[in-house]
Amino acid sequence: MNTRDTSTPVAAPAWEEAGWERLAARVGRCRLPVWDCTAGLVVGDDAALMVEAGSSLREGSRLRADARRLLGGDRRVTHLALTHPHFDHVLGGAAFAGVEVFGAVGVDSVLDHDREGLRADAVAQGLDPAAAAEAADLLVLPRHLVCGERTLDLGGLQVLLANVGPGHTGHDLAVLVPGGRGEPEVVFCGDLVEESGEPQAGPDAAPRHWPAALDRLLDLGGEDAVYVPGHGAVVDAAFVRRQRDELARRFGVA
């Protein structure tokens, strides 16, 4: 990746004061309640990227409001990346109406054709039925679909979106933020990596391809990156490698 100095943004967000975890000067994340889903914010000079939309319109609105406070002035989220099409990551999307939404190629069709499945899964996992129905009805679909890799220029900071799946689902997108002076590269992994529990392989998983997806993540991020799981605490490359090997054994992949 083409890395520019990302260590001194125009106005460094006060991550901890807003209840977010600082990962680098321009990068923070929060762990949402109930399902412990991670959402991320990447701050450029001219634009801001939110990673994940939350599990409901209420969570999406909370994330958008947090971003407004962190960004300051009249700045707002301009881009949204959805790492995969599961309810706890996408159902807050309507709170981000008007932003540029990105996902792996094919994820738009999955979301559009399976709104009822998303709603039912959310309710089965404990989301209020009315909130689930509203979010599914108003769901915002990605307009920008990533096949391979795509670079977003946020102003003074170029972020890489990489379609690294299939694995956890058929449509897994990773977000890589380059490091600057003294700052690590940050990789948002979605649920390809989980720290707070065993990785979940549902009916839409591609388990025999999952270890290869983690190999691609490690190739992109490298040994010194900070890896941000979809659920749980941040991890290092060694953790990702161990999880890759465990998944290979679990699914009988050489």
Side-chain angles (χ1 to χ4, degrees):
M1 292 182 63
N2 177 25
T3 61
R4 286 186 266 179
D5 182 6
T6 64
S7 58
T8 311
V10 173
W15 299 109
E16 285 75 13
E17 292 177 15
W20 284 56
E21 179 182 357
R22 180 190 185 279
L23 304 176
R26 293 178 181 252
V27 190
R29 69 119 185 204
C30 71
R31 293 169 68 171
L32 295 166
V34 185
W35 296 283
D36 192 29
C37 179
T38 284
L41 180 64
V42 185
V43 182
D45 293 342
D46 306 320
L49 168 69
M50 182 69 72
V51 182
E52 313 293 30
S55 65
S56 65
L57 293 178
R58 182 176 180 179
E59 275 197 345
S61 296
R62 174 230 160 144
L63 290 172
R64 192 162 189 172
D66 279 359
R68 288 292 296 267
R69 287 192 293 271
L70 284 162
L71 294 168
D74 60 356
R75 298 191 63 191
R76 63 181 182 86
V77 171
T78 54
H79 299 73
L80 172 66
L82 303 175
T83 65
H84 63 285
H86 286 170
F87 85 91
D88 48 334
H89 298 257
V90 304
L91 280 185
F96 294 91
V99 311
E100 300 295 329
V101 185
F102 296 78
V105 67
V107 75
D108 56 333
S109 296
V110 171
L111 293 174
D112 193 30
H113 295 155
D114 197 30
R115 291 172 190 256
E116 173 56 24
L118 279 173
R119 184 204 64 77
D121 188 29
V123 172
Q125 297 297 324
L127 186 63
D128 173 75
E134 179 185 34
D137 286 344
L138 298 175
L139 186 63
V140 172
L141 304 181
R143 201 164 61 86
H144 305 284
L145 303 174
V146 180
C147 180
E149 298 177 359
R150 177 166 181 166
T151 300
L152 296 182
D153 189 347
L154 302 181
L157 179 62
Q158 293 186 335
V159 175
L160 183 69
L161 306 181
N163 184 340
V164 296
H168 176 65
T169 72
H171 310 279
D172 293 308
L173 188 74
V175 179
L176 294 91
V177 186
R181 295 179 184 174
E183 299 280 358
E185 184 166 39
V186 178
V187 184
F188 288 95
C189 308
D191 287 4
L192 284 168
V193 179
E194 295 197 39
E195 185 276 335
S196 55
E198 186 175 82
Q200 299 300 302
D204 58 345
R208 294 191 61 82
H209 296 280
W210 200 332
L214 294 185
D215 286 336
R216 286 191 284 275
L217 268 186
L218 289 164
D219 287 343
L220 289 168
E223 287 300 308
D224 297 325
V226 169
Y227 292 85
V228 186
H231 303 266
V234 297
V235 299
D236 58 14
F239 180 96
V240 177
R241 190 169 293 106
R242 286 194 302 272
Q243 195 156 96
R244 180 254 181 241
D245 294 342
E246 291 166 4
L247 287 167
R249 286 192 295 271
R250 178 176 162 189
F251 299 125
V253 179

